[in-house]
Amino acid sequence: MPDTDRTETGPSRPPRHAPEGHPSLPPARTGVLLANLGTPDGHDYWSMRRYLGEFLSDQRVVDYPRWKWQPLLQTVILTKRPFTSGAAYRSIWNEELNESPLLTITKAQTAAIRETLRARYGDQVMTEFCMRYGNPSTRATVRRMIDAGCRRIVFFPLYPQYAGATTATANDALFKALMKEKWQPPVRTVPAYCDRPDYIDALARSVERAYDAMETKPDILVASYHGVPERYLHEGDPYHCQCQKTTRLLRERLGWSEEKLVTTFQSRFGPEEWLKPYTVEEVARLAQAGKKRIAVIAPAFSADCIETLEEINEEIRESFEHAGGETFTYIPCLNDDEAHIEALSNVIGDNLAGWIDRVDTETP
């Protein structure tokens, strides 16, 4: 049997005590695979159609019966929506690297986490990232990590709050990828981290930095989370409760009263009732109620993306200003902020416990 407990580095070679002619194997390592939602390869029509087709065909995202949903998706939605979504992506596209901001930021996060884990664990860990929709795909990344010697994998969907349409579908993609493997590595899936003190502290520090830079402070802070249909709450999805908990813990960490911070939900899609209040409507109501200066933060997103850079900072801002609002401040996601990288690395460390030991190649 192959020696699966080796963690040394070096070139591929047959396992110890293997018979002559046994295929070479790379040194065994533990993999850490970060996962985010996804990104189109470009903002042109066909790139957007491929991406939206994959995304909107996921029954975790749209759970209507396929016989009812797919004809509408293929003949109507995917005929028109790639144009409007492509225009939205074009307005925020990283032209220098020819990629979406989400991809740029996720690369930076992965590089920073990789260095942090290398300092803690040496060469025992391989750190990579994948996207649930688009590229790099979960399947291709899992295959590459196994080829590189990953005999165990910690899989980390980068969503602070659990939702079936985000965390669960990312896990689904991982399990489907493992179905193709002859030799499946043991895996650990990372749970929601919405109430971790280090994550809450990183959020609070980002708010404090933004407020310290303003001469006149906002009247209220809006915590805008991505929405889901309201019925998901009644069907057992904990997302709504975890969003409310994040807001409460953030408010307590900041030492604010309840009226200084409100929870809202954005990105409604389709005819159903979604979690309320809707951000786009609530910011208009706040402006009409005399809250002329607001700030918006997006605690459900680990990285800035189309929903923050375009929807919040353009569409939702416009709704607020149209209703009489005067000063709108968007507080960026935590992205590759040092405190965020430390918090994410700590989450990973907790999930590596029992598999590998810290070596701390650098003095803290």
Side-chain angles (χ1 to χ4, degrees), residues 37-115:
L37 183 74
T39 174
D41 295 325
H43 47 66
D44 60 282
Y45 176 84
W46 289 109
S47 294
M48 291 304 311
R49 182 172 179 125
R50 283 193 301 272
Y51 173 71
L52 291 172
E54 183 182 9
F55 175 50
L56 296 175
S57 292
D58 185 348
Q59 287 204 290
R60 291 277 195 182
V61 175
V62 181
D63 62 353
Y64 301 148
R66 288 187 179 277
W67 65 266
K68 181 184 296 184
W69 173 244
Q70 280 297 320
L72 177 63
L73 175 64
Q74 299 298 330
T75 61
V76 178
I77 296 173
L78 291 181
T79 299
K80 299 179 179 179
R81 186 151 178 162
F83 290 109
T84 56
S85 294
Y89 269 98
R90 191 176 303 112
S91 71
I92 64 167
W93 201 251
N94 183 339
E95 296 293 349
E96 181 180 355
L97 298 178
N98 191 29
E99 62 189 26
S100 73
L102 177 64
L103 182 55
T104 303
I105 294 166
T106 304
K107 287 178 178 178
Q109 290 173 323
T110 305
I113 291 171
R114 182 182 292 121
E115 288 306 308

Side-chain angles (χ1 to χ4, degrees), residues 9 24 29 31 71 83 89 116 202 240 243 247 254 265 268 294 296 310 333 348-349:
T9 59
S24 296
R29 291 187 286 178
F83 290 109
Y89 269 98
T116 300
H240 177 265
C243 292
T247 298
L254 291 168
F265 298 91
R268 181 172 43 148
I294 69 169
V296 178
E310 195 276 335
C333 292
I348 294 167

